[in-house]
Amino acid sequence: TEIATRIILRNWSRTLCIRLGWIDEFNKMIARYVSSKYILLLLTITYTHKYNIKKKRLNIINYYKSFPVHSHNVKTVKFSPDGNEIVSSSYDKTVRIWDVASGKAIHRLKGHSNWVTYAQFSPDSNIVVSCSGDETIRLWDVKSGQKLRILKGHSNVVAVAHFSPDGQIIVSGSWDETIRLWNVYSGKEIKKLEGHSHWVNDVQFSPNGQTINKYFAMAFDAVLKAQFSPDGFNIASCSSDKTIILWDMIIGKALKIFEGHSNAVTDIHFSLDGQTIVSCSWDNTIRLWDVRSGQEVQKLEGHSDYVTGVDFSPDGNIIVSSSFDQTVRSWG
């Protein structure tokens, strides 16, 4: 039955989470050289130290709007760079684009034959990239909702696909233990990066596009997501150990640890000014954190199941979240 399937998927996801991002040999976070123009950060970090953080509650977000947008668990949600639309991905094998102001669906993008793991807008908001358990990456025209091309090459679930800052290249990470770069316009694979001995769960370009060739050797637990700060000097990572860690990108040192979630932290995002981090968790909550003090400043409750994705609007006034309760919610 559908209920039984949902229970299996939920517990399967919990089990898989234990080893997401695991690197057997050195347990490293790697910033790997790709070209003279780009840096790739393999976001597979964990950390085990604990800090005591005093929490202060501020009334930043005070209402939400809920949309029952999918027929199965919603995996991710992201704003378009212009802030006018959001894109969501789901276990129902679809990608959906929504108008932020009205909350109405613009397009339902169908074509993937398995659960859609991630979807993101291009920097100019004209294209959506999605990836899936069907081992493909697909590009979609935002205006028409039509499929532009399919990128094939991975041999297992494609966990994530990100645009480069100029929108000309896509980087993807897969459970086939590889990272691949693709030309957006031709759909051809540019380069395959190998070296991981387990799934690549997250990978992205640095915000400034500068090349760095550096290794950070650290002790880890399982990390699910990580993100550069807007200035590129710091990285925030979130983990199944219920914590968020702020790292210094240059020296590879943990600067702060943010504690408060009572279950795995599944996604994080910096505000545009880099002063706030928003996180979401399997504890069904969304939390906002002050980067400078390390304190929790707001807890948002409303989802009835795991919260899987979160994002700030470009102006910082709205937060969107996705959940296994099959909804996307906007908070503002």
Side-chain angles (χ1 to χ4, degrees):
T1 68
E2 183 179 352
I3 294 176
T5 301
R6 193 170 300 154
I7 293 172
I8 291 169
L9 280 171
R10 176 171 173 162
N11 287 283
W12 178 60
S13 297
R14 185 195 297 267
T15 303
L16 293 179
C17 173
I18 295 173
R19 289 186 57 84
L20 287 180
W22 183 263
I23 307 175
D24 296 327
E25 191 174 356
F26 295 109
N27 294 334
K28 308 170 187 175
M29 177 183 76
I30 304 172
R32 184 183 290 268
Y33 173 84
V34 178
S35 72
S36 60
K37 193 173 181 181
Y38 300 112
I39 169 184
L40 289 177
L41 179 64
L42 313 192
L43 302 174
T44 49
I45 327 168
T46 57
Y47 198 68
T48 56
H49 293 296
K50 302 293 180 184
Y51 295 76
N52 293 321
I53 297 175
K54 296 180 180 179
K55 299 176 179 64
K56 179 174 67 174
R57 183 178 179 87
L58 299 180
N59 198 17
I60 297 175
I61 307 293
N62 53 28
Y63 72 88
Y64 68 79
K65 181 166 56 177
S66 181
F67 306 98
V69 297
H70 285 279
S71 60
H72 214 306
N73 304 332
V74 189
K75 188 69 170 59
T76 62
V77 61
K78 292 295 177 185
F79 274 100
S80 60
D82 59 19
N84 294 326
E85 298 161 336
I86 56 174
V87 62
S88 57
S89 65
S90 173
Y91 284 13
D92 67 9
K93 306 177 187 177
T94 70
V95 177
R96 306 197 188 196
I97 300 174
W98 307 85
D99 179 77
V100 171
S102 67
K104 294 181 179 179
I106 299 172
H107 295 298
R108 182 185 181 198
L109 310 179
K110 299 176 66 176
H112 285 293
S113 61
N114 205 330
W115 56 305
V116 186
T117 55
Y118 195 85
Q120 180 200 33
F121 286 94
S122 61
D124 62 8
S125 300
N126 291 329
I127 299 174
V128 160
V129 61
S130 62
C131 53
S132 170
D134 66 11
E135 304 175 5
T136 70
I137 301 162
R138 296 176 186 241
L139 299 177
W140 312 84
D141 180 80
V142 171
K143 186 175 181 178
S144 68
Q146 296 300 306
K147 179 184 67 185
L148 297 174
R149 57 192 58 88
I150 301 176
L151 316 182
K152 295 183 178 180
H154 284 295
S155 58
N156 206 330
V157 172
V158 187
V160 67
H162 278 281
F163 283 96
S164 61
D166 63 7
Q168 296 183 22
I169 294 175
I170 288 170
V171 61
S172 59
S174 170
W175 290 5
D176 68 9
E177 304 171 11
T178 71
I179 296 158
R180 302 181 190 227
L181 284 90
W182 311 82
N183 183 287
V184 169
Y185 303 105
S186 69
K188 293 182 178 179
E189 182 181 310
I190 300 170
K191 192 169 187 177
K192 179 170 71 172
L193 306 177
E194 298 178 287
H196 279 281
S197 57
H198 212 276
W199 302 335
V200 179
N201 189 45
D202 203 359
V203 60
Q204 65 177 250
F205 290 89
S206 64
N208 60 13
Q210 295 179 0
T211 299
I212 295 178
N213 188 10
K214 190 171 184 178
Y215 287 78
F216 300 91
M218 301 172 182
F220 288 103
D221 192 11
V223 168
L224 304 182
K225 292 288 182 181
Q227 193 204 10
F228 283 101
S229 61
D231 61 14
F233 294 141
N234 298 117
I235 299 160
S237 64
C238 61
S239 172
S240 61
D241 67 7
K242 311 173 189 177
T243 67
I244 301 155
I245 298 173
L246 183 70
W247 306 85
D248 185 293
M249 177 60 190
I250 305 302
I251 63 176
K253 180 181 178 181
L255 302 176
K256 289 186 179 73
I257 188 165
F258 305 81
E259 294 181 292
H261 283 294
S262 60
N263 207 331
V265 186
T266 51
D267 199 11
I268 50 175
H269 204 277
F270 280 96
S271 60
L272 184 62
D273 62 9
Q275 299 303 304
T276 305
I277 290 173
V278 62
S279 63
C280 62
S281 169
W282 283 358
D283 65 11
N284 300 1
T285 72
I286 298 156
R287 303 185 191 223
L288 290 97
W289 311 82
D290 180 76
V291 171
R292 181 172 296 179
S293 69
Q295 292 184 333
E296 178 187 314
V297 295
Q298 182 79 36
K299 180 169 71 172
L300 310 177
E301 298 176 286
H303 282 293
S304 60
D305 208 331
Y306 295 159
V307 189
T308 54
V310 69
D311 197 16
F312 269 113
S313 62
D315 62 10
N317 292 329
I318 301 173
I319 289 170
V320 287
S321 57
S322 59
S323 171
F324 272 21
D325 66 13
Q326 303 181 18
T327 70
V328 165
R329 300 188 180 214
S330 63
W331 311 74

